[in-house]
């Protein structure tokens, strides 16, 4: 595979943009569900969580790619910060997974209750 630092940088910018949009959407869906916890809102919130989870992982992959191509030289403190930030992205994705499971359980409980 031929290194493509420009492509990696473009992918990072795209991933960052998508993640920012997803974070805004997630906030909006969460607020809507909190104020009106209907089945439709639950489904919208769940879908927003799935997109945010996937885009968090996409951002981490784009960051990994940029590091592979060593687009910037980093000192030890910057590398430590970036690694912590990347771990946070995976933890965010895992939190989204747990929230999705919780929303599914809530939906199932509501269906059973009628």
């Amino acid at each position: 595979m031929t290194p493509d630092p420009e492509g990696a940088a473009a992918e990072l910018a795209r991933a960052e943009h998508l993640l920012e949009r997803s974070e805004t959407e997630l906030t909006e869906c969460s607020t809507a569900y909190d104020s009106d916890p209907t089945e439709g809102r639950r489904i919208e919130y769940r879908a927003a969580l799935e997109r945010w989870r996937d885009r968090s992982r996409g951002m981490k992959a784009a960051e990994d790619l940029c590091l592979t191509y060593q687009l910037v030289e980093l000192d030890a403190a910057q590398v430590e910060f970036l690694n912590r930030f990347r771990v946070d992205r995976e933890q965010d994705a895992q939190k989204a997974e747990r929230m999705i499971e919780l929303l599914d359980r809530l939906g199932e409980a509501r269906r059973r209750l009628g």
Side-chain angles (χ1 to χ4, degrees), residues 45-86:
Y45 186 26
R46 186 185 191 287
L49 278 164
E50 288 176 339
R51 283 187 290 278
W52 180 64
R53 174 203 60 204
D54 294 345
R55 290 174 177 171
S56 289
R57 288 183 175 148
M59 183 69 177
K60 183 178 180 294
E63 290 167 340
D64 290 345
L65 185 60
C66 285
L67 286 175
T68 298
Y69 292 133
Q70 298 176 352
L71 293 180
V72 293
E73 290 192 27
L74 304 173
D75 63 31
Q78 291 169 321
V79 169
E80 180 182 336
F81 174 79
L82 183 58
N83 284 334
R84 195 167 355 109
F85 193 62
R86 290 172 43 225

Side-chain angles (χ1 to χ4, degrees), residues 7-42:
E11 180 59 26
L12 181 62
R14 186 182 82 68
E16 185 173 31
H17 173 73
L18 288 174
L19 185 60
E20 287 172 1
R21 275 190 16 211
S22 198
E23 287 170 346
T24 299
E25 177 190 31
L26 183 60
T27 300
E28 291 169 357
C29 287
S30 173
T31 301
Y33 181 73
D34 288 346
S35 66
D36 182 25
T38 62
E39 181 64 8
R41 298 274 188 197
R42 186 193 69 78

